[in-house]
Amino acid sequence: MPTPTKENYLKAVFFLSQKNQQISITALANKMKVSKPTANNMVKKMEQNNWLLYEKYKPLELTQAGKKMGALIVRKHRLAEMFLAEVMGFGWEEVHEIAEEMEHLKSHSFFDRMDEILGFPTIDPHGSPIPDKNGTIPKSTYINLTTIKAGEKVRLCGLLKSSREFLLYLNKKKITLGTEFKVQQIERFDNSFEIGLTPTKTLVLTYEVCKCLLVQKLEENS
């Protein structure tokens, strides 16, 4: 039976595969914050589970079984986060660490019931897509805030970064998923964005913050 540690490695490979077609042992070791020999040893064990195709000096490749297993671990994690936030009232900055433990529960019926209770959500509290029971991930059509022009109105729909520190920062700014705002102006010197949350309340967001925000354009009269 897969161990939590092995599942964590698989999830790491799965996330790396979403960003890059070629996954090295070095990249995996860096993501897991372990030595290359430690990562290499775990890769060999994952290959035995038929999750990976591994050949020395070549990029790691997920098998179809590995892709599905990785997606289902992510599904359990994101459903758990949604349940903690929507049903139990945890803040979006609190749910990750608890979900890290819950994702290793083996009962699929438990998470299927959780999915049903939540009304079959397609995103987690941070706007990340929740894979379905077959491991299929819904495609997102959200765009990065940095692509928005001055004068356009948007709704915050997702995050590219969901660290506790970043979420607490957004809490402080009163920005959550679903927050609507208008880009008032973009500073040419540092590309910071001045946004209007209400007719009387404006904020300035650095370019680094804007890069982490995924939005949907709105019609001006919406």
Side-chain angles (χ1 to χ4, degrees):
M1 181 176 290
T3 64
T5 299
K6 198 180 292 185
E7 289 185 343
N8 285 337
Y9 271 87
L10 176 60
K11 188 172 65 168
V13 176
F14 180 82
F15 281 136
L16 287 170
S17 73
Q18 300 294 298
K19 298 179 180 179
N20 194 336
Q21 292 294 326
Q22 297 192 336
I23 310 162
S24 67
I25 294 287
T26 300
L28 177 59
N30 289 340
K31 188 166 182 63
M32 294 301 296
K33 299 179 181 179
V34 298
S35 67
K36 284 180 64 176
T38 298
N40 190 66
N41 183 54
M42 182 57 73
V43 162
K44 292 177 180 177
K45 293 179 181 179
M46 293 165 70
E47 184 183 32
Q48 293 172 359
N49 278 93
N50 192 34
W51 291 348
L52 288 177
L53 297 176
Y54 170 62
E55 192 173 342
K56 199 171 184 180
Y57 304 124
K58 290 190 177 181
L60 303 175
E61 185 180 345
L62 282 169
T63 63
Q64 286 302 315
K67 289 177 183 178
K68 182 174 181 179
M69 183 68 175
L72 291 179
I73 295 169
V74 173
R75 168 180 166 79
K76 290 190 288 184
H77 181 100
R78 292 178 176 171
L79 278 174
E81 286 192 333
M82 200 63 174
F83 190 85
L84 289 164
E86 293 296 312
V87 178
M88 302 188 71
F90 283 90
W92 65 345
E93 78 282 0
E94 300 177 289
V95 297
H96 177 75
E97 290 186 1
I98 306 173
E100 282 283 290
E101 299 180 28
M102 294 178 68
E103 71 186 33
H104 300 297
L105 294 173
K106 305 305 179 187
S107 173
H108 291 291
S109 60
F110 175 80
F111 289 97
D112 289 344
R113 181 63 60 86
M114 185 183 290
D115 193 19
E116 182 181 357
I117 290 171
L118 289 168
F120 307 101
T122 57
I123 60 170
D124 72 4
H126 312 116
S128 300
I130 299 175
D132 66 18
K133 291 196 294 184
N134 297 314
T136 302
I137 303 176
K139 290 186 178 181
S140 171
T141 58
Y142 305 145
I143 57 178
N144 199 278
L145 179 57
T146 58
T147 66
I148 299 298
K149 299 177 182 178
E152 293 184 320
K153 188 177 180 182
V154 299
R155 178 186 295 116
L156 179 63
C157 296
L159 307 174
L160 288 181
K161 181 178 181 180
S162 56
S163 68
R164 180 179 175 84
E165 293 75 17
F166 184 58
L167 295 172
L168 288 172
Y169 167 84
L170 294 179
N171 285 349
K172 189 174 180 180
K173 300 295 183 182
K174 307 296 184 185
I175 296 174
T176 62
L177 285 192
T179 296
E180 297 181 3
F181 55 87
K182 184 175 182 179
V183 177
Q184 305 285 26
Q185 67 174 17
I186 302 171
E187 175 58 54
R188 293 181 61 183
F189 174 70
D190 62 359
N191 289 318
S192 59
F193 277 49
E194 180 182 328
I195 65 170
L197 294 172
T198 70
T200 59
K201 182 180 180 181
T202 61
L203 293 174
V204 174
L205 301 178
T206 67
Y207 186 74
E208 289 302 309
V209 168
C210 294
K211 285 197 302 184
C212 298
L213 303 180
L214 299 175
V215 300
Q216 182 180 52
K217 284 186 183 180
L218 298 174
E219 297 296 331
E220 183 58 37
N221 58 359
S222 63

